[in-house]
């Protein structure tokens, strides 16, 4: 696991891991992206949330990736914690399970 500071860096890190996979053979079965984008006073939130998600989806489809996208888009810290806490919504756990499910599906399909 590599800690990343923001959603844009999550996308860059995943892209770099893909390049390493292409250069050195398959290093990763899947990815779990965890992070949070909290709305601020400017439109930067909308740009980061929309563009990060678009690039993630493009990478998933183009490279046939198993990805659990746990990047939260919220209005405030309270919403972020409610979604992140294991004993509440556990969105990180859901993202990890989604990645594992996609890996298992790929294996079942022989892809």
């Amino acid at each position: 696991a590599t800690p990343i500071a923001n959603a844009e860096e999550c996308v860059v890190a995943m892209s770099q891991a893909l390049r390493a996979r292409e250069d050195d053979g398959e290093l990763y079965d899947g990815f779990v992206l965890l992070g949070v984008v909290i709305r601020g006073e400017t439109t930067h939130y909308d740009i980061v949330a929309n563009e990060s998600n678009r690039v993630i989806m493009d990478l998933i489809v183009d490279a046939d990736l198993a990805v659990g996208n746990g990047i939260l888009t919220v209005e405030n810290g309270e919403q972020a914690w409610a979604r992140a806490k294991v004993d509440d919504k556990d969105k990180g756990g859901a993202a990890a399970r989604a990645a594992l499910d996609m890996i298992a599906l790929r294996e079942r399909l022989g892809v």
Side-chain angles (χ1 to χ4, degrees), residues 52-63:
S52 295
N53 192 60
R54 182 190 58 77
V55 172
I56 290 165
M57 290 304 297
D58 288 348
L59 286 170
I60 290 169
V61 172
D62 292 346

Side-chain angles (χ1 to χ4, degrees), residues 11 17 29 40 53 60 75 81 84 87 89 99 101 106-107 109:
V11 175
D29 292 324
N53 192 60
I60 290 169
E75 298 294 324
W81 282 115
D87 62 347
K89 297 186 188 290
D101 289 345
R106 183 173 40 204
E107 290 173 357
L109 296 174

Side-chain angles (χ1 to χ4, degrees), residues 36 38 72 74-85 91:
V36 63
I38 300 175
L72 307 174
V74 298
E75 298 294 324
N76 54 53
E78 183 178 313
Q79 287 180 354
W81 282 115
R83 286 163 177 77
K85 286 182 184 176
K91 294 296 186 174

Side-chain angles (χ1 to χ4, degrees), residues 1-19 31-37 48 51-53 55-57 59-60 65 67-72:
T2 303
I4 302 298
N6 60 45
E8 294 119 325
E9 291 174 359
C10 282
V11 175
V12 172
M14 190 169 73
S15 178
Q16 290 171 346
L18 288 174
R19 278 197 298 280
F31 298 89
V32 178
L33 304 177
L34 302 174
V36 63
V37 181
V48 170
E51 289 303 306
S52 295
N53 192 60
V55 172
I56 290 165
M57 290 304 297
L59 286 170
I60 290 169
L65 299 175
V67 175
N69 185 352
I71 298 177
L72 307 174

